Amino acid sequence: MLAVSHLVVDHGKMRALWDVSLSVEAGEKVGLLGANGAGKSTTVGAIMGLFPPQSGEIRFEGQSIAGRAPAENVARGIALVPEGRRLFPEMTVGENLEMGAYLRPLRGGLDTRLGFVFDLFPILKEKAAQPAGELSGGQQQMVAIGRALMSEPRLLLLDEPFLGVAPLVIEDVMNALRRVAATGVTILLIEQNIHRALDFVDRAYVIENGRTALEGTRESLIGDADFGSKFLGLE
Ligand SMILES: Nc1ncnc2c1ncn2[C@@H]1O[C@H](COP(=O)(O)OP(=O)(O)O)[C@@H](O)[C@H]1O
Ligand SMILES: [Mg+2]
């Protein structure tokens, strides 16, 4: 479904990605791991169309999408839950959710899709008329995920969705994401906490200094000595 090969991305004069390759099959849950500054957000940003690559290839459902505008990517079935959530804090929860739908004609209409999100996160229905900025960190993250889901994505990119979320709520959010995956949505999850990531994904890639350093199934990564010494002690 998604194939990134030999991706090179610069931020101004600084090279952030030197050689990132990864692929995700339809229906998979894949992790993107790595230390702070390794290039995880730049990678999903480039997939989403926020950063045009210097070189390399990004293919989604067989088509080259490198350099395509973010709105076009949303319209074609990719959604990003950005790092730090990026909600509209003064707008209500309901308005934030509706923002996620405006780029893509929905199969079942707005209310059906809102119903799906409220079923996933019932607290958001109770708080629909409240400004999003008044919600707890975990609830705001639910709004960010819900907003991304409003566009009915086939590929959902999640950039550290558990950051600033209380441990008990993390379980709720993770279970909701499992339900989303069970509906057939493919998931690429960025996570710094390796244990938590390996709880959720089938497979993962590790990025180091802008390069894909390691790839494997959950079991092989846990067993990989290099992975263990480098990353499992991290958190
Ligand atoms: N918008 C930006 N402008 C300039 N440099 C950036 C920008 N975003 C990220 N970087 C730099 O690119 C590198 C990779 O960052 P990032 O992709 O955010 O890493 P990660 O998400 O793994 O923490 C870092 O050195 C970071 O400082
Ligand atoms: Mg990041």
Side-chain angles (χ1 to χ4, degrees):
M1 167 178 249
L2 175 72
V4 174
S5 49
H6 304 297
L7 191 64
V8 178
V9 175
D10 292 347
H11 289 303
K13 285 184 180 154
M14 207 203 68
R15 180 139 296 179
L17 302 186
W18 296 81
D19 187 7
V20 169
S21 297
L22 60 90
S23 62
V24 182
E25 303 300 322
E28 269 193 311
K29 299 194 287 286
V30 174
L32 193 53
L33 314 178
N36 214 354
K40 305 179 299 295
S41 294
T42 302
T43 300
V44 292
I47 295 167
M48 197 63 221
L50 299 167
F51 311 121
Q54 262 55 47
S55 64
E57 185 59 274
I58 306 172
R59 299 185 78 79
F60 175 64
E61 296 182 331
Q63 284 187 309
S64 174
I65 62 162
R68 190 183 264 173
E72 175 79 8
N73 282 323
V74 173
R76 285 168 190 262
I78 307 178
L80 169 68
V81 178
E83 192 171 12
R85 306 188 277 265
R86 306 285 173 87
L87 298 182
F88 305 98
E90 332 259 272
M91 286 167 55
T92 67
V93 168
E95 287 164 346
N96 270 275
L97 292 175
E98 284 174 24
M99 291 296 286
Y102 88 105
L103 286 171
R104 188 162 155 84
L106 300 178
R107 275 171 301 164
L110 192 63
D111 288 343
T112 310
R113 200 57 190 169
L114 269 175
F116 173 78
V117 171
F118 288 152
D119 183 49
L120 208 55
F121 301 117
I123 187 76
L124 298 188
K125 187 169 188 177
E126 283 172 41
K127 309 231 169 198
Q130 276 188 37
E134 289 179 4
L135 271 58
S136 73
Q139 291 164 356
Q140 290 193 27
Q141 193 61 64
M142 293 174 193
V143 177
I145 294 169
R147 181 179 59 185
L149 290 172
M150 287 299 291
S151 67
E152 296 184 330
R154 290 189 297 282
L155 173 64
L156 180 63
L157 310 169
L158 294 146
D159 195 345
E160 304 208 31
F162 306 120
L163 211 67
V165 178
L168 277 174
V169 183
I170 288 178
E171 264 317 298
D172 290 344
V173 173
M174 214 182 248
N175 283 330
L177 290 174
R178 289 192 178 101
R179 282 178 63 197
V180 171
T183 68
V185 175
T186 306
I187 292 183
L188 182 61
L189 170 73
I190 292 181
E191 176 55 60
Q192 279 213 46
N193 185 310
I194 310 299
H195 297 284
R196 191 179 297 142
L198 293 179
D199 234 26
F200 181 78
V201 302
D202 311 312
R203 223 155 48 78
Y205 292 86
V206 179
I207 295 188
E208 228 181 339
N209 300 321
R211 292 177 178 84
T212 313
L214 211 59
E215 188 244 321
T217 60
R218 175 184 20 218
E219 291 72 23
S220 72
L221 286 176
I222 291 170
D224 189 303
D226 187 40
F227 182 79
S229 62
K230 262 192 193 138
F231 300 105
L232 290 183
L234 208 70
E235 285 191 54

